[in-house]
Amino acid sequence: MEVVKTRFQLQGELATNSPNRIYRHVFHAFFKILRDEGIRGIQSGLLPGVFYQSAMNGTRLGLFVPLQKLIKTDLKKDG
């Protein structure tokens, strides 16, 4: 769905230069990309997004318990 969203947004930004609209609405964009480019067209750009989310969420989840322990020990010292 990221590809559909991006192409739909670009169509809107480029509309000032060109009156031709490729996609009428989001569902039309989805089916047109699927028909013209196949499932690979829909899935293009998925891997970088997965890597980004894995890095961000992995770091956040991996640091949660150590930071939680650190904060609790600091609070016990202050309190």
Side-chain angles (χ1 to χ4, degrees), residues 1-4 7 29-47:
M1 291 304 288
E2 193 70 25
V3 170
V4 174
R7 291 190 188 182
F30 180 81
F31 289 115
K32 185 166 177 62
I33 293 169
L34 188 63
R35 185 187 70 217
D36 295 344
E37 300 175 34
I39 194 74
R40 291 181 66 96
I42 295 292
Q43 296 296 324
S44 66
L46 181 66
L47 199 56

Side-chain angles (χ1 to χ4, degrees), residues 7-22:
R7 291 190 188 182
F8 208 68
Q9 286 175 331
L10 286 173
Q11 173 181 284
E13 290 176 9
L14 299 174
T16 57
N17 297 338
S18 173
N20 299 334
R21 296 184 67 195
I22 300 170

Side-chain angles (χ1 to χ4, degrees), residues 43-63:
Q43 296 296 324
S44 66
L46 181 66
L47 199 56
V50 169
F51 285 147
Y52 173 77
Q53 290 299 327
S54 297
M56 296 302 289
N57 291 323
T59 303
R60 182 176 56 113
L61 293 173
L63 291 175

